[in-house]
Every structure is written in structure tokens, then in C-alpha cells.
Amino acid sequence: MSAQPHTHATPNRTQAATVEIRIRRRENTDAAQYWETFEIPYRPNLNIISCLMEIQKNPVTKDGKQTTPPVWNMNCLEQVCGICTMVINGRVRQSCSALVDQLDQPITLEPMSKFPNVRDLIVDRSQMFDHLKRVHAWIEIDGTHDQGPGPRMDQEDVAERYAYSRCMTCGCCLEACPQYDGDNYIGPQAIAQVRLFNMHPTGKMTRDERLEGIMGDDGITNCGNAQNCVRVCPMSIPLTKAIYEENRETIIHGLFGWLKR
Amino acid sequence: MATVGKNGIKIAVVGGGLAGLAAAMKIAEAGHSVDLFSVVPVKRSHSVCAQGGINGAVNTKGEGDSTAEHFDDTVYGGDFLANQPPAKAMCEMAPAIIYLFDRMGVPFSRTKEGLLDFRRFGGTKHHRTAFAGASTGQQLLYALDEQVRRHEAGGKVQKYEGWEMMSLVLDDHQVCRGLVAMDLKTLEMKAFKADAVIMATGGPGLIFGKSTNSMVCTGSAVSACYQQGARYANGEFIQVHPTSIPGEDKLRLMSESARGEGGRVWVPRAKGDTRAPASIPERERWYFLEEKYPAYGNLVPRDIATREIFQVCLDKMGIGGDNQVYLDLTHIPAETLDRKLGAILEIYEMFVGDDPRHVPMRIFPGVHYSMGGLWVDFEQRTNIPGLLAAGECDYSIHGANRLGANSLVSCVFGGFVAAPAAIEFAKNVERNGADSSALYEQELKLQEENNQRLIKQSGNENQYKLHEEMGKWMTDNVTVVRYNDKLKETDNKLLELIDRYDRISINDSNLWATMALPHARHLWNMLQLARVITLGALNRNESRGAHYKPDFPDRDDENFLKTTIAEYSGEGPVISYEAVDSSLIKPRKRDYSKGKQDTAKAAAGAKGSTLPPKDGAPQVLSQDTEQKPKDLSGPAVWNQNKEEVRDVNHGEAETRREQGKSIEDAGGKSDKV
Ligand SMILES: Cc1cc2nc3c(=O)[nH]c(=O)nc-3n(C[C@H](O)[C@H](O)[C@H](O)COP(=O)(O)OP(=O)(O)OC[C@H]3O[C@@H](n4cnc5c(N)ncnc54)[C@H](O)[C@@H]3O)c2cc1C
Ligand code: SF4
């Protein structure tokens, strides 16, 4: 007895019998990009991932040309692993939570543009993880042996940290940021992680190392205050607040660091 | 590769979920090197999906909770199929695990006093589940990811993200010497030497087509180990979560915490009632779980809730006659819901379009978790010397059914036990000669040939359609309710699919970063594991935990208080049984219509063997009920109880057949299939 998907979503567009999808493709890192258009049968409650799965089964373009199946990344399909991020109808977002019923057709799918494009919709976001290393995005615990509970905390502080700790390294904020272009600016994601750890009672003790990670030429001062990042962040992380707070911290740190010398 | 640490020990960890990262962190901390393999960047592992929380008896609510009580709940919930010593050790380590995560900065929800807050989950009457909003798995995984990144920056951990483990490298004595992995971008294969390998590759949900699992949860890696001689245990025990949101691409979980926070399950009393839920008055609603199980109500264990919902829908009592029931939170203030369940309610809203704060959710059971997995001894060692396993991919701890919020803790526990055991093995293993490069080249060549054969193969079968067919058969016949004739038919179907597999063609002529070839490899491995699950179910003629056969409705301890062991042979799985270590808590009837202490009393009265419990104290026969958490270096408690069966000497290279014999000798009935 298999479950039936819900069918009571209210499609707010005229229901076409098919879904038309244009995909910006690339064979490999060195090849040029090109577009291909596909058409699949419409069903209620389709998301972009289901569409791509349908195309993958039988990769034929709208004009009936047999082609290679487009490739993409996916994992949790619950918008929490961050891997399936792409640009959909011009907006960067996760493809698992992009519902066909809420999108204008033809739907366009493009890989993110700020990261090396591996093939089709797959990009390599390892630079984001490298940034986490640079800003020491961790708590320096003495060891993993049992030392009892951590410091007591006010639920309000926890709630503020919780907001930052939901960052899934998806890269939407970097894609939307007019300043970010690979290696010229560390970007809002890493800065928000500095905020996350600098707020923690233990994390505070090694605050300076983190601040130094965002104070170089490509550091926090490159923010142009366009505020695109907060608008696209799927986790609603208060990125501009983090940038504001950390900017202040770096200024104070710069001052005292200079006095200490 | 990671710089080789002291003693030159290098350990390969396959999988970067909670279990894999826990192990990697411990090994690096001990000063040894880790090669860490993961299909997806580790921070994107399936563990991020866990919403509800992590169990540990900290008793902050003054309810008299204890690690002994947690242990009893775990064993009782698992319908006594779990070996008890490791389950006990896990429950004892659990508070310390939670505290460690607290120190690593996990934003656990707090009480007014600033202490860790705990919630109630299914199968217990205590507030024992620590939680970080409604994304606990994400927060816990990130905490470990951060610590492992710290060790990566320190040169102790080398990550191979985007690399898929394809097979083990075994020497002539069946000792594990490393593995072969494939770069998913270039499809380049490479052999990696390792002094020990820890599998931490998660569950096999995709065998059922759609499940609540992430897309990398194919079970492919453990199936590869099984096909190379690793024993697979209790495969038939598949947990179907009572509350999932049916979708086109997957079933999205509605966490048990929704019921933990007061969510109520109901259907209209009148068959086929199509009124909007809000306009159905209280007395015309059937809260069937509350009615049938007054002691636990909506928080009965998963297998029971699942079966009840399933049955209600079979009887056409589902909403509008469909396969759906209501899970209702609308009686709880929206503000409370946002604070406690925000993230999971957003999921429902995002993927269904309704607001669960005002409209009851529609849910149906979905395949969720595998209690079965690679057979391991009490130190997470498989029967292949040098190969260990931890996390959802091993079979220990949960028996016939897992309690909510017990998986995350078991993953970390497993990783913490596997790490020192792997180091111990690595220190003692003979390295001279046995790991000559020929060994690695041979396995590499074999795997490359497998790929080449698939690439060249042509035929009219579509691999994705075969996957769908397998998923449908498995879901329809090998989940909630099982009949022997259907199970036989399913196995025949699987054999047919295996036959048709030879006629699939890779439909991608561009092999760079292709999804087609890896999927084809997964499909083969999934089909093999699907047979293990199906035949395990066919052979177990009883009902226990998640395994339910209407033709054999009772638990049969005499014949089946045993672990199912599947071993690979060319013709299919060979099934045998191994005794369960129930040395600490005497098995008693599992009955959730009563409070647990009543069942304990009944058991004690009937058998006259144990003292009646005081104030709901559990039936733990051991003296060791101290509250203080054990240290985190791995448990030592089970040594005195260790059964000879499991005490396989992993330092020596025994052949598999000899080990298999020792199992049968030790009293396991050996049923050949
Ligand atoms: C929706 C959902 C909610 C849940 N909620 C809870 C909860 O509230 N509480 C609880 O206790 N449990 C919960 N669970 C269960 C729990 O999340 C999982 O059992 C647990 O996270 C498994 O962790 P793991 O470390 O074993 O594996 P995973 O997190 O699944 O990680 C597996 C790893 O192995 C890697 N891998 C797989 N195959 C290969 C290969 N061939 N080569 C290399 N790498 C490979 C993957 O990339 C990944 O890194 C939930 C499960 C689901 C599905
Ligand atoms: S801050 Fe938001 S947008 Fe940026 S990576 Fe994190 S989750 Fe994505």
C-alpha cells in the first residue's frame, strides 16, 4: 500500500498539461555552456528535483533529440543539506523546495555563477569550506573526554546563536552578493560563522584568531552593504546584523591589537 | 593523504555523518591519521535531517529518570532483540555525549535556569531528549564537522569528499587492508591503504524507492562489504515511521517531536467524511491511538503507531478514504509551536503549502530507518578483521525497533567505540608483506572492469525504472505487514530484476561527473541487500517490533529470540541465527496499552524470578545503576558479560568459514535458505 502524494495544493497558474524546462548545460569544466529545453508531463505538487528525475529517466529534448541526461547534486531534499542549490528563473535557491506550481514557465535552471562549474548544474563550493578553516569556525575544546556540561546560557542568547548555526553552506548569499567574486571577499557566510562562535562563552576566548581571519584585504571591509545576502538566505540568517557586529569587533580588535603592540 | 601519525597508523573512515565524524574526531585526537571518505561533502550528510533530538537520561526535570531507565526503555522498545550490554553502555555514555556537544557549542534549547532543556519522545515517560530547536541532527553534525575541520587544519585528517567507496581490499586471509574508491567527478578509481577501515555509511532507505532518507542512503557500501564476506544482521527489521508527508520525490518526515509536543492523531469517525477538519466537532473525531493505548497515547513506539495508522487506512477510515490521517497541532498556541517546532512546521508549509499551525497535517507512514546492518561485536568490529562499522549501518543497539532520538546517540556512541577498537587493531596487525601493492592493484583492476562492463553493456532496460520497480515491491510487501507468500513473490521479483540488470544501458555518453554509472553500481548493491531484507523477513515466522506477520501474530522467544545473520553466497544470502545476549534484563511481554512498570510487575509475578520494581524502577538485574555518566573513551562494562560467540579474535586472520562455524557451534540454529 504505497502512499499517494498530496494533491490538494492550489496551483496559482493556468495548469498546463506539460512543464517546460530550459537548462543551461556544460559538458565539463573547460567546455562552453549551451541551453537545452525539455518538456515533461504536468502533475500537481512537482518540485524541480522531481522534474530533473523525470528528465534523467529518458533524456530527450523538447524537439525530440536524444541527449545526455543533465546532472545535478541532491541529497536531503528537505532544504537542510544545501547541496541542490541552483539558479531557478533567475533566483538562487534550493531546487528541492522550488515547487513547479509556484514558478512561471518556461522554468530556467542554471548553475550558480560564482563557483567553478563542474558540469551542467553542478558547481564546486569547496572555497566556502576553506573559509571556515580560515576563520577557525569551531570551539577550541580541551578534549573530548567527559568534563560535564558546558557553560550555562540564557535562552535568548541561545536563540540568537541558533539562527546563525542553521547556515547550511549553500552559497546563495555569495551568489547574490555584488561584491563576492571568488577570492576578493570572504563573504557573509563566513562572517556569520565568526559571529556564531564569538558569541559563545568558550568561543569568545579565541575570538582574536577569528577576527584576524576576516581582517585581511579580502576581509569584512569589502562589504558594500547591498543587503542582497539577507534577502536570499533560505535560512533567514540575519547576515547584515552579523556583518555589523563583526565589523565593530574588528575595529575594536584593531585598536586594542595596535595598543598591545 | 593525511600525514601519518604516531606509530604510523592510518585509519580509513567511510562516511561523514555523525558516526563517521565521531570516529574521525577520536582517532585524530589520539594522534593518528584519518582518511575520511564521503560521497557528499561531510557537512551535507544525511544526519542533518534529524529533527527531534538526542536521548540521554540527565533527569533535569526531577522525574526520577536514570540511565538504567533509559536502558530498560531501549531494550523493551526493541522487543528484546538487542544484545543488552552495548545498549546499556550506550545509555550510560549518553549524558556525557550530550554534555560534550554542549561544550562544542551546540545551541541546545535551555530552561529558565539556563540548563539544557529536555522533551519527551515515543516509548518513554520521561523528558529525556535534548534538542536544538527542531534541527538537532543538523546542529550535532555541524559540531562534529567543526571539530574534524579543526583536525583537518592540523593535518591529521585528509578528506576525500566526492569520493565513493566501491569495495574493500582484502588479503589472502580475509583481513581488510584498505579500500577502493572512485572520484565521482573524473570516475578515476584509486586503491587506498589503511590499517583499519570503519564503515559509517548510514541507512539503506532507497531500496524502498521513496523513503524519509536522503538520496545517498542506498546501503550500497555495506552491501559491497556483505558481498565480500561481511555478515549482515537483522536485515528484516526496517522501521516505518508513522508520520511522513507523501511527496513525488521522497517522503518527508514529520518528526515524532510533533507528537512529543502534544500533537494528536485522528480521523473522522464517519467513513469518507469530507468536511474540512476544523468543522468536524470533537466528538465526531476518532483519536484512535489515545483510545487504544491510554498509557502512552499518541506517544506509543513507532512500530505500533505505524501499524495502527496503516490499519485505519486499510479499513478505509483514512481521510476521505485515502491513505492519510490527521496529525493535529492546531490546539497548541502558534507561538509555542514556533519556538519548539519551527523548523519542522516550515518543512510542511514549504512542501505542502498548508500552515500546520491552523490546518491539521495529513500524514502517512514512510520507510525511515534500518535496525539491521553489518554484524558487529561489542566493540563495533565486523567479522572481517580490520573492518569495523558504526552508526545506522551497523545492527547493534536497537533490536527489533528503534526508539525516537536513540539513533543520534547510538551513532556517536558507535563512533566513539569504533575509534579506539580500530586503533587497537591497527597497533597489533601484522603489516609485513601482506599488504603488497599487488593486492591493491588486483582489487582496483576488478573494480575498473566492473565499470567498463557496465559502460559497454547495452540493452533495453532502464536502470531508473528497475529501481522504481524494486522500490514498489519492497514497499508494498516488505514493510508494515508481511505475508510469506508475498515475501516469496518479492524475492522472485528481485531475482527477475537481477536478471534484467544485465540488460540496462548507461544512458549517458558523457562520463564526466555522470550520475548514471554510480547509480547503476548502487542498483546492483541495493538488489543484493533487498534479498537479505526479504529473505530475513520470510524466515522469521513471528512478530516482533517492526516485523509483523498477521499469520504469526505473537513474539516467539523460543525460536526467534535470535539475531538473523545473512552471509553472501553466489546463489544468494545464507541465513543463520545467533543467540541474543539478554543477560541483564529478562525478556517480558511488550505491551504499550499498559504503563511499563505494570508489564514489569506482570513479568516478575508470572516468572517469580525478579523483585517487583519500586516506583517504576526498571528490571535491571545488574547492580550497576549509578547515574554518573561514564567517561567517553569507550565502555568497559560488557567484558564480564561478553559471550564467547562474539569474542572473535580479530588480531589473527581467521578464515571466514572458521568464524561462521564458531557461530553455529555456539547454539545458533543454522537455517540454510
Ligand atoms: C528525516 C529523519 C529524521 C530523523 N530524526 C532523528 C532524530 O530526531 N533523532 C534520532 O536519534 N535519529 C533521527 N533520525 C535517524 C538518524 O538521523 C540517522 O540514523 C543517523 O543520522 C545516521 O547517521 P550515520 O552517521 O550513521 O549516517 P549518515 O548521516 O547517513 O551518513 C552517511 C555518510 O556515509 C557517506 N557514504 C555513504 N555511502 C558511501 C560510500 N560508498 N563511500 C563514501 N561515503 C559514503 C555519506 O556521504 C555520508 O557522509 C532521523 C532520520 C531521518 C531520515
Ligand atoms: S548564510 Fe544563508 S545563504 Fe549564506 S550559505 Fe548560509 S544558509 Fe546559505
Side-chain angles (χ1 to χ4, degrees):
Chain A
M1 169 154 140
S2 304
Q4 302 127 4
H6 288 302
T7 49
H8 59 99
T10 39
N12 50 5
R13 326 257 147 207
T14 36
Q15 273 192 22
T18 55
V19 183
E20 189 172 319
I21 300 178
R22 297 181 66 223
I23 303 181
R24 188 175 208 144
R25 307 195 54 180
R26 190 200 294 270
E27 275 176 22
N28 57 55
T29 332
D30 303 321
Q33 289 186 318
Y34 61 100
W35 289 91
E36 256 176 3
T37 306
F38 299 88
E39 204 172 50
I40 58 159
Y42 172 85
R43 291 191 301 273
N45 248 33
L46 281 176
N47 60 359
I48 293 298
I49 297 278
S50 318
C51 297
L52 286 167
M53 286 173 161
E54 193 64 34
I55 295 170
Q56 178 184 49
K57 267 184 242 168
N58 185 21
V60 178
T61 64
K62 192 181 173 195
D63 346 303
K65 191 183 97 202
Q66 189 74 37
T67 182
T68 54
V71 299
W72 73 99
N73 277 151
M74 61 175 164
N75 196 25
C76 76
L77 307 189
E78 295 185 4
Q79 204 192 284
V80 63
C81 78
I83 206 170
C84 70
T85 312
M86 55 184 76
V87 179
I88 301 171
N89 283 358
R91 205 189 124 207
V92 66
R93 58 187 298 188
Q94 281 69 52
S95 47
C96 64
S97 55
L99 305 181
V100 167
D101 289 333
Q102 295 167 0
L103 292 167
D104 283 322
Q105 288 197 36
I107 297 168
T108 61
L109 307 180
E110 298 168 82
M112 285 193 278
S113 65
K114 300 282 178 79
F115 306 95
N117 187 192
V118 176
R119 173 180 166 184
D120 298 338
L121 300 165
I122 298 181
V123 294
D124 177 354
R125 279 166 281 184
S126 34
Q127 50 189 255
M128 294 181 79
F129 296 110
D130 291 341
H131 288 158
L132 292 178
K133 248 185 257 174
R134 200 170 103 192
V135 302
H136 292 209
W138 52 72
I139 302 274
E140 299 267 349
I141 53 167
D142 291 343
T144 60
H145 48 289
D146 185 18
Q147 308 242 59
R152 281 196 188 196
M153 263 179 273
D154 188 320
Q155 175 60 29
E156 252 176 58
D157 296 340
V158 170
E160 194 176 344
R161 289 194 69 242
Y162 180 72
Y164 294 118
S165 74
R166 298 225 59 207
C167 170
M168 55 182 173
T169 330
C170 68
C172 286
C173 55
L174 303 184
E175 177 73 14
C177 173
Q179 299 299 105
Y180 185 84
D181 190 15
D183 49 15
N184 63 325
Y185 170 36
I186 191 159
Q189 161 253 354
I191 296 172
Q193 293 302 296
V194 171
R195 183 80 199 123
L196 169 67
F197 292 100
N198 282 4
M199 274 188 73
H200 188 272
T202 316
K204 262 191 193 119
M205 299 175 194
T206 49
R207 175 171 54 189
D208 294 357
E209 290 167 20
R210 274 178 224 109
L211 293 179
E212 267 149 38
I214 53 170
M215 285 176 73
D217 283 349
D218 60 350
I220 191 164
T221 49
N222 290 287
C223 170
N225 201 23
Q227 312 211 356
N228 286 2
C229 53
V230 263
R231 281 191 284 267
V232 296
C233 175
M235 297 308 222
S236 313
I237 296 173
L239 293 165
T240 42
K241 180 160 187 263
I243 295 173
Y244 170 79
E245 300 280 358
E246 287 319 306
N247 198 24
R248 237 178 40 162
E249 270 203 307
T250 52
I251 291 168
I252 297 168
H253 173 75
L255 219 56
F256 282 92
W258 181 77
L259 283 177
K260 269 187 244 159
R261 252 173 235 157
Chain B
M1 281 184 222
T3 48
V4 172
K6 64 182 180 205
N7 305 325
I9 290 176
K10 167 144 8 108
I11 293 169
V13 176
V14 186
L18 274 183
L21 291 179
M25 176 177 75
K26 281 285 186 184
I27 297 165
E29 188 179 49
H32 306 293
S33 312
V34 180
D35 279 350
L36 177 58
F37 297 85
S38 178
V39 172
V40 292
V42 295
K43 199 178 175 182
R44 308 194 191 285
S45 293
H46 168 66
S47 290
V48 294
C49 287
Q51 304 161 346
I54 177 168
N55 281 341
V58 178
N59 194 29
T60 47
K61 304 262 174 192
E63 300 167 323
D65 197 11
S66 66
T67 57
E69 187 75 35
H70 183 192
F71 171 44
D72 192 72
D73 282 340
T74 301
V75 168
Y76 183 73
D79 224 347
F80 293 90
L81 196 63
N83 285 309
Q84 296 177 0
K88 176 166 185 276
M90 177 194 84
C91 296
E92 282 169 351
M93 200 196 272
I97 287 174
I98 293 176
Y99 288 157
L100 173 61
F101 277 105
D102 187 25
R103 282 170 50 224
M104 295 192 298
V106 169
F108 283 120
S109 294
R110 304 274 158 172
T111 64
K112 288 220 171 67
E113 228 181 294
L115 298 172
L116 299 179
D117 197 5
F118 287 79
R119 63 158 58 119
R120 247 189 91 191
F121 245 58
T124 181
K125 298 185 133 189
H126 295 96
H127 288 77
R128 184 187 290 151
T129 308
F131 59 103
S135 62
T136 314
Q138 187 192 15
Q139 305 308 325
L140 299 183
L141 185 84
Y142 288 2
L144 291 181
D145 173 66
E146 288 148 12
Q147 295 300 323
V148 169
R149 185 167 293 106
R150 188 179 159 205
H151 289 297
E152 187 191 14
K156 281 290 162 220
V157 175
Q158 171 72 49
K159 284 185 190 154
Y160 291 89
E161 295 176 317
W163 282 76
E164 174 155 353
M165 177 270 198
M166 307 304 284
S167 68
L168 302 168
V169 176
L170 302 177
D171 69 15
D172 297 344
H173 302 286
Q174 280 282 116
V175 176
C176 180
R177 300 291 183 175
L179 54 88
V180 169
M182 178 165 79
D183 180 341
L184 293 169
K185 194 157 61 182
T186 62
L187 292 206
E188 177 206 2
M189 296 247 215
K190 243 175 104 172
F192 295 85
K193 277 189 187 181
D195 298 309
V197 174
I198 300 177
M199 299 300 296
T201 50
L206 261 76
I207 288 177
F208 295 83
K210 288 193 275 188
S211 75
T212 63
N213 289 13
S214 299
M215 301 310 283
V216 296
C217 301
T218 56
S220 181
V222 291
S223 175
C225 297
Y226 153 74
Q227 289 167 68
Q228 288 185 284
R231 294 194 185 111
Y232 198 86
N234 285 346
E236 65 270 32
F237 289 96
I238 296 291
Q239 181 169 79
V240 180
H241 196 286
T243 59
S244 76
I245 314 161
E248 279 283 341
D249 49 343
K250 84 170 279 190
L251 311 175
R252 294 183 174 84
L253 183 79
M254 182 38 60
S255 167
E256 191 165 301
S257 53
R259 284 177 292 136
E261 296 299 343
R264 303 178 73 188
V265 174
W266 63 278
V267 289
R269 281 201 186 271
K271 226 178 226 184
D273 188 339
T274 50
R275 285 177 292 173
S279 56
I280 301 178
E282 225 16 61
R283 71 193 132 72
E284 288 172 41
R285 299 175 177 193
W286 184 29
Y287 294 95
F288 51 94
L289 291 177
E290 294 171 32
E291 203 170 290
K292 291 186 181 171
Y293 304 92
Y296 287 81
N298 292 292
L299 281 175
V300 286
R302 295 189 173 162
D303 54 325
I304 295 176
T306 295
R307 235 159 15 238
E308 292 293 347
I309 296 171
F310 204 74
Q311 192 59 47
V312 161
C313 293
L314 264 186
D315 298 342
K316 297 281 168 230
M317 285 297 293
I319 309 164
D322 285 341
N323 286 341
Q324 299 174 349
V325 303
Y326 288 122
L327 171 55
D328 197 343
L329 289 166
T330 56
H331 56 286
I332 302 169
E335 180 273 324
T336 313
L337 293 176
D338 280 337
R339 183 162 45 84
K340 295 201 159 166
L341 300 169
I344 62 170
L345 300 188
E346 276 162 29
I347 288 185
Y348 190 84
E349 226 174 338
M350 190 186 309
F351 292 99
V352 181
D354 288 344
D355 181 355
R357 296 164 197 85
H358 305 294
V359 184
M361 297 180 280
R362 293 155 181 258
I363 52 98
F364 190 72
V367 167
H368 184 52
Y369 183 86
S370 171
M371 276 69 73
L374 289 175
W375 179 91
V376 290
D377 66 8
F378 294 178
E379 290 173 55
Q380 307 291 142
R381 301 178 295 199
T382 72
N383 61 304
I384 295 180
L387 181 70
L388 299 91
E392 190 171 338
C393 77
D394 86 49
Y395 92 109
S396 60
I397 310 289
H398 306 293
N401 172 54
R402 169 176 74 84
L403 290 190
N406 251 0
S407 171
L408 298 180
V409 65
S410 72
C411 288
V412 178
F413 169 79
F416 280 6
V417 174
I423 294 170
E424 195 53 36
F425 176 85
K427 278 184 182 156
N428 297 321
V429 68
E430 280 281 337
R431 258 170 279 182
N432 299 345
D435 54 353
S436 73
S437 59
L439 208 63
Y440 298 89
E441 280 155 26
Q442 207 180 326
E443 185 60 35
L444 189 61
K445 190 154 161 270
L446 191 71
Q447 294 308 322
E448 275 165 354
E449 281 166 8
N450 281 344
N451 276 4
Q452 283 312 316
R453 197 179 52 244
L454 277 167
I455 292 165
K456 294 207 184 90
Q457 176 176 315
S458 66
N460 54 4
E461 294 288 356
N462 183 311
Q463 55 168 325
Y464 301 103
K465 293 190 175 144
L466 290 196
H467 188 173
E468 266 175 26
E469 247 180 90
M470 168 179 69
K472 187 163 182 345
W473 273 80
M474 292 298 289
T475 302
D476 287 351
N477 303 310
V478 200
T479 53
V480 185
V481 181
R482 296 164 169 181
Y483 295 96
N484 282 349
D485 52 346
K486 292 281 180 196
L487 292 168
K488 267 185 216 135
E489 268 177 56
T490 306
D491 190 51
N492 287 337
K493 186 71 192 181
L494 292 171
L495 286 169
E496 178 204 308
L497 293 173
I498 287 171
D499 187 53
R500 285 160 61 193
Y501 181 88
D502 286 340
R503 295 190 293 283
I504 61 169
S505 47
I506 302 295
N507 68 353
D508 195 353
S509 57
N510 176 8
L511 291 175
W512 174 262
T514 182
M515 295 164 87
L517 184 70
H519 182 269
R521 298 287 308 250
H522 298 160
L523 181 60
W524 174 262
N525 288 337
M526 285 192 279
L527 285 164
Q528 300 301 323
L529 209 52
R531 292 200 70 202
V532 171
I533 297 168
T534 307
L535 292 176
L538 177 62
N539 277 273
R540 187 175 278 276
N541 282 330
E542 65 159 352
S543 292
R544 181 189 297 272
H547 171 73
Y548 177 63
K549 284 186 174 173
D551 297 334
F552 303 89
D554 297 319
R555 194 173 88 190
D556 175 1
D557 282 354
E558 202 171 312
N559 292 305
F560 289 107
L561 182 52
K562 283 178 186 146
T563 301
T564 309
I565 309 270
E567 286 175 281
Y568 181 76
S569 78
E571 281 99 76
V574 177
I575 308 262
S576 61
Y577 295 92
E578 181 190 80
V580 171
D581 183 338
S582 354
S583 55
L584 302 171
I585 304 175
K586 203 177 187 65
R588 58 183 190 272
K589 189 168 184 265
R590 188 163 165 267
D591 179 1
Y592 282 94
S593 63
K594 296 190 186 73
K596 201 181 60 173
Q597 71 247 47
D598 296 335
T599 69
K601 267 181 203 146
K607 305 250 160 66
S609 54
T610 43
L611 292 169
K614 311 187 244 41
D615 302 319
Q619 291 281 300
V620 182
L621 301 179
S622 151
Q623 336 293 39
D624 192 355
T625 52
E626 59 179 330
Q627 275 263 61
K628 192 172 134 298
K630 284 276 179 323
D631 78 345
L632 293 165
S633 57
V637 268
W638 49 64
N639 292 330
Q640 60 275 31
N641 299 314
K642 195 184 264 179
E643 252 187 70
E644 228 177 75
V645 181
R646 273 172 216 91
D647 203 3
V648 179
N649 184 348
H650 286 257
E652 278 168 39
E654 293 180 36
T655 67
R656 200 160 60 85
R657 194 171 305 123
E658 275 160 7
Q659 289 183 12
K661 190 159 154 286
S662 76
I663 295 273
E664 282 163 30
D665 289 347
K669 163 173 129 202
S670 181
D671 261 357
K672 305 279 175 203
V673 179

